[in-house]
């Protein structure tokens, strides 16, 4: 049987746009991996009548209703009350949950007593499966009534994600008659439309496994999902589709089930025992920032030089003045000299450099917005890549340039 789900997010702050509903994105992805179809997202303010109307509608069109938010101690936390009323269940006091809340406050707020209203979080629908919350105070819960499975999760994203993964997923797995496995391929250098064009026919013919693209900032994710009796059988279904995608898209696929380009580069640098440095002009330190955001980067990263002016390019990176005068700062020749200078100045095995026009205006030589040169210097020589990507404004141009720097590194590290 194929189950359908509706997500109901409770909170006026969501409707006002004060916060983004990131819970819904996380839950939809997680439910998809379980083979549960999400047909509707609903957002309701802290109003009992409107929440009841939303639940009554969801009961008619979903097998599973998952709510987020409204489980806290304040007067506008009304989710449990309304859900219990909608399904004819009374709320009962759970002593175990109350004790957990007390312990949480004792550990987290040693100098601040727990107020009495926090005990209302221990009021739960009679006969429900209680989801203990090791990441906050409000417990979640699940129950079945009127042919519908109801799951209530806390709203704070950190709590919601942990509660879904460690409490709700085990509960929901009972609805699956097999194992569902997914593998996510990360693609850089091809747009979503190009990827979709190359894979459209295959995606339309696949049923198990399925293949679906997801556009991200500057990248595309391809998720292959298979269902089988066992994990090994599901993986066996995924393998030939992954091989086919890799064959079609080539080295634009930079990894499977990985976090980012820079994370793959870090692992290869550590494996090959190479050190890295960078010289950045138009990216303004973004390459160094993205790389040092990764735990363990200090093992291979020597440092970065933000050479935003010609004076710094000449003084620290030893870029010849003649190059700057003849070709200008935004040129392949200067990018090459910057990468070589960073490698010498920082004493690293590999160095990348960026120079370009991030906008909003052309530079003093008339170079257009989006023109960027990315260089990689190694013991074998230096290579330079020219980019032209005027769309998207400064943030996108800078981020794309940084990603191309990591791609240059990746391709080099994969062949040495």
């Amino acid at each position: 049987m194929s189950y359908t789900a509706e997500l109901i997010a409770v909170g006026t702050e969501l409707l006002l746009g004060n916060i983004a509903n990131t819970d819904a994105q996380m839950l939809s992805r997680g439910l998809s991996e379980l083979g549960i179809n999400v047909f509707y997202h609903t957002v309701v303010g802290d109003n009992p009548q409107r929440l009841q109307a939303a639940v009554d509608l969801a009961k008619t069109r979903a097998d599973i209703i998952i709510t987020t938010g409204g489980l806290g101690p304040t007067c506008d936390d009304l989710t449990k009350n309304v859900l219990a009323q909608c399904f004819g269940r009374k709320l009962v006091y759970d002593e175990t949950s109350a004790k957990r809340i007390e312990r949480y406050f004792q550990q987290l707020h040693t100098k601040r007593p727990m107020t009495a209203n926090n005990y209302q979080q221990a009021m739960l629908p009679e006969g429900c499966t209680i989801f203990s919350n090791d990441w906050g105070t409000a417990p979640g819960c699940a129950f079945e009534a009127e042919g519908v499975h109801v799951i209530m999760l806390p709203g704070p994203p950190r709590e919601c994600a942990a509660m879904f993964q460690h409490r709700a997923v085990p509960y929901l797995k009972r609805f699956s008659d097999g194992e569902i496995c997914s593998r996510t391929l990360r693609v850089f250098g091809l747009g979503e439309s190009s990827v979709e064009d190359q894979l459209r026919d295959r995606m339309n013919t696949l049923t198990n496994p399925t293949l679906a693209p997801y556009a991200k900032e500057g990248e595309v994710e391809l998720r292959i999902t298979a269902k089988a009796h066992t994990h090994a059988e599901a993986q066996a279904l995924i393998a030939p589709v992954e091989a086919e995608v890799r064959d079609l898209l080539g080295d634009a696929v930079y990894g499977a089930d990985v976090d980012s380009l820079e994370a793959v580069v870090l692992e290869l640098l550590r494996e090959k025992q190479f050190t890295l440095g960078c010289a950045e002009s138009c990216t303004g330190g973004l390459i160094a920032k993205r790389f040092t955001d990764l735990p363990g980067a200090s093992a291979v990263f020597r440092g970065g030089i933000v050479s935003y002016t010609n004076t710094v390019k000449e003084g620290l990176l030893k870029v010849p003045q003649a190059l700057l005068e003849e070709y200008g700062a935004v040129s392949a020749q200067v990018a090459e000299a910057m990468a070589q200078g960073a490698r010498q100045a920082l004493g690293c095995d590999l160095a990348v450099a960026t120079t370009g026009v991030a906008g909003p205006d052309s530079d003093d030589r008339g170079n257009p917005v989006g023109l960027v040169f990315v260089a990689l210097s190694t013991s074998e020589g230096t290579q330079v890549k020219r980019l032209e990507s005027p769309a998207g404004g400064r943030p996108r141009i800078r981020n794309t340039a940084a990603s191309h720097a990591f791609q240059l590194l990746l391709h080099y590290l994969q062949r040495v």
Side-chain angles (χ1 to χ4, degrees), residues 2-5 27-28 30-39 64 66 172-173 175 180:
S2 179
Y3 287 86
T4 63
L27 290 171
S28 287
L31 291 167
S32 175
E33 291 174 359
L34 292 172
I36 297 171
N37 300 310
V38 178
F39 284 173
I64 301 167
I66 301 180
L172 290 166
K173 278 189 173 179
F175 308 136
I180 297 175

Side-chain angles (χ1 to χ4, degrees), residues 188 372-376 383-387 404 407-408 411:
F188 177 75
V372 177
F373 294 92
V374 181
L376 168 65
Q383 56 179 305
V384 182
K385 190 174 189 178
R386 178 190 175 108
L387 309 175
H404 276 282
Q407 188 184 52
L408 278 178
H411 290 169

Side-chain angles (χ1 to χ4, degrees), residues 160-213:
C160 187
M163 290 282 280
F164 175 72
Q165 186 63 43
H166 299 288
R167 303 289 186 261
V169 167
Y171 178 89
L172 290 166
K173 278 189 173 179
R174 71 174 75 176
F175 308 136
S176 176
D177 56 1
E179 284 280 336
I180 297 175
C181 299
S182 292
R183 189 154 172 84
T184 300
L185 304 182
R186 300 289 293 267
V187 180
F188 177 75
L190 294 175
E192 184 186 21
S193 59
S194 175
V195 171
E196 198 271 343
D197 182 64
Q198 294 185 63
L199 298 174
R200 182 188 298 120
D201 292 342
R202 195 69 182 102
M203 287 190 290
N204 289 337
T205 58
L206 286 168
T207 55
N208 187 29
T210 59
L211 177 63

Side-chain angles (χ1 to χ4, degrees), residues 250-309:
D251 59 11
V253 179
Y254 69 81
D257 296 331
V258 295
D259 292 330
S260 63
L261 266 168
E262 53 265 36
V264 179
V265 167
L266 172 59
E267 289 307 308
L268 285 171
L269 287 168
R270 295 171 73 170
E271 176 188 322
K272 298 177 184 294
Q273 299 184 346
F274 285 162
T275 55
L276 172 66
C278 60
E280 304 184 59
S281 185
C282 62
T283 49
L286 183 59
I287 294 172
K289 190 267 180 192
R290 281 175 52 174
F291 198 73
T292 56
D293 278 346
L294 301 172
S298 59
V300 298
F301 189 65
R302 286 291 178 87
I305 297 170
V306 179
S307 53
Y308 221 59
T309 66

